[in-house]
Amino acid sequence: MARNNKKVGAYPSGIILFSLTLALFLIGFCGLLAIQSKRLVTYIRENYEVRAFLDKGIKLKKINALYKTIADRPYILKANGTPQINLVTKEEAAKEFIAETKEDFSKFLGENPLHDSYRIKLNEAYFEEAKLQEVKQDLEQIDGVFEVVYQENLVDKINQNITQIYIVMSAFALILLVIIVVLMNNTIRLALHSQRMLIRSMQLVGATNAFITRPFLGRGMWQGFLAGVVAVLLLLVGWEVAKHNMPELAAFQSIEKMIILLAGIIGLGVLIGFLSTFQAVNRYLGLTLDELY
């Protein structure tokens, strides 16, 4: 009857690949959420508008001059070199007001009391209360600007909520990583249990710890690499499905950050495979014969 000889470094790996793939997928999913949320935060901040109301009766020539003056300010957001400043005439503002409130004030006032205004988008770096106050004061010093208005305290509330979301996501990812490392250590340790006697036999014939550990480490790193590749493929498929169902997600996609994230997942898989295998093998290398039984 043929004898089933065990090969050093060979052990059941299906459960390890499944567990590590699932773990890396969850970590990658958290990373993907973080990237997209950062893009979404940038989108929200850069689409926040400050309104600069102009003096009543201001002439068109003066309005155009004000545009150039405001556009030169360092805090003005520029998209492809174009300052994000939009003129809203008092007639357009009246139409917006009537559409929102369903009330035509001109019927009982007899005139349009609204001002022409510029709606201004700012650089993301100025999305905080103190800097918005500085922007407000600077704009109000410009000749022809009647008043500058923005929603006070809203910015701080948005920033606080964003910070809390990042803290929760970071804590979740860290806890998940710790759980994964512990789980993989236990899984690989159980997988190596079948080879504990083979490891002991190699020690008895004079094999060094490095010689014994090498094939296990190679297999662990290869498993980590495969798990990382599968997790990356699952993430890409999931992302494409999400974009198909919600096309607006494409606006928040960052190719460079996606590549870094996906490469990081594969690298993390290799690292976890190496460290978990190294720790598990070293545990068996240090056991006595009695403890092996």
Side-chain angles (χ1 to χ4, degrees):
M1 184 175 179
R3 185 177 179 181
N4 185 21
N5 294 322
K6 293 182 180 179
K7 182 180 179 182
V8 64
Y11 52 84
S13 58
I15 187 64
I16 295 176
L17 284 173
F18 176 79
S19 301
L20 187 52
T21 299
L22 180 61
L24 292 174
F25 175 79
L26 291 175
I27 290 180
F29 182 73
C30 289
L32 191 61
L33 285 180
I35 291 175
Q36 302 312 317
S37 63
K38 179 65 174 67
R39 296 281 294 179
L40 178 60
V41 167
T42 299
Y43 177 82
I44 293 173
R45 288 175 172 175
E46 292 184 346
N47 281 275
Y48 182 82
E49 291 182 335
V50 172
R51 298 191 179 188
F53 293 98
L54 310 182
D55 293 336
K56 289 190 71 69
I58 190 171
K59 303 300 181 182
L60 181 59
K61 184 177 180 180
K62 179 66 174 177
I63 292 177
N64 293 333
L66 277 173
Y67 176 89
K68 295 179 180 179
T69 302
I70 295 174
D72 289 335
R73 292 298 197 266
Y75 44 76
I76 301 298
L77 176 66
K78 292 181 174 62
N80 298 322
T82 303
Q84 299 301 289
I85 305 173
N86 295 315
L87 175 66
V88 179
T89 64
K90 61 182 182 180
E91 291 78 17
E92 292 172 338
K95 290 179 181 178
E96 289 182 1
F97 181 84
I98 294 171
E100 291 176 1
T101 63
K102 308 301 180 183
E103 296 181 3
D104 189 352
F105 56 83
S106 61
K107 291 181 179 179
F108 54 87
L109 289 180
E111 63 174 355
N112 185 353
L114 302 178
H115 293 249
D116 297 325
S117 65
Y118 276 122
R119 294 182 181 178
I120 304 168
K121 294 180 181 179
L122 307 178
N123 288 322
E124 184 181 4
Y126 290 85
F127 194 78
E128 58 182 68
E129 195 67 33
K131 291 186 177 180
L132 283 174
Q133 282 290 341
E134 294 176 2
V135 170
K136 173 182 170 69
Q137 294 173 4
D138 180 64
L139 289 174
E140 288 181 340
Q141 292 176 358
I142 299 175
D143 182 37
V145 175
F146 173 73
E147 185 183 17
V148 176
V149 175
Y150 67 91
Q151 291 180 283
E152 297 185 9
N153 300 321
L154 176 64
V155 171
D156 282 346
K157 289 181 180 179
I158 292 176
N159 284 332
Q160 289 172 4
N161 291 334
I162 290 171
T163 301
Q164 290 175 357
I165 291 172
Y166 279 148
I167 291 174
V168 171
M169 289 183 64
S170 299
F172 178 75
L174 182 61
I175 292 172
L176 183 62
L177 183 60
V178 172
I179 293 174
I180 289 168
V181 172
V182 174
L183 176 63
M184 292 309 302
N185 279 340
N186 292 333
T187 303
I188 293 177
R189 187 179 299 172
L190 288 174
L192 289 176
H193 183 75
S194 62
Q195 295 223 331
R196 68 191 188 284
M197 300 309 298
L198 179 58
I199 293 173
R200 182 62 177 175
S201 299
M202 294 181 68
Q203 285 181 311
L204 292 175
V205 297
T208 63
N209 288 347
F211 179 83
I212 298 172
T213 304
R214 191 179 301 116
F216 289 102
L217 293 181
R219 186 175 178 85
M221 293 172 68
W222 175 245
Q223 289 173 340
F225 175 79
L226 287 180
V229 170
V230 174
V232 164
L233 292 177
L234 291 175
L235 281 173
L236 289 175
V237 171
W239 177 243
E240 290 301 322
V241 171
K243 284 197 301 180
H244 178 74
N245 292 294
M246 293 182 290
E248 58 272 15
L249 287 176
F252 304 117
Q253 185 173 357
S254 174
I255 301 298
E256 296 81 4
K257 291 182 179 179
M258 281 283 289
I259 292 174
I260 294 174
L261 173 65
L262 299 180
I265 292 172
I266 296 176
L268 182 61
V270 174
L271 181 62
I272 292 176
F274 174 84
L275 294 178
S276 299
T277 305
F278 182 79
Q279 185 176 1
V281 173
N282 276 348
R283 178 181 180 274
Y284 284 111
L285 289 175
L287 294 179
T288 63
L289 186 60
D290 292 336
E291 290 172 331
L292 285 175
Y293 285 100

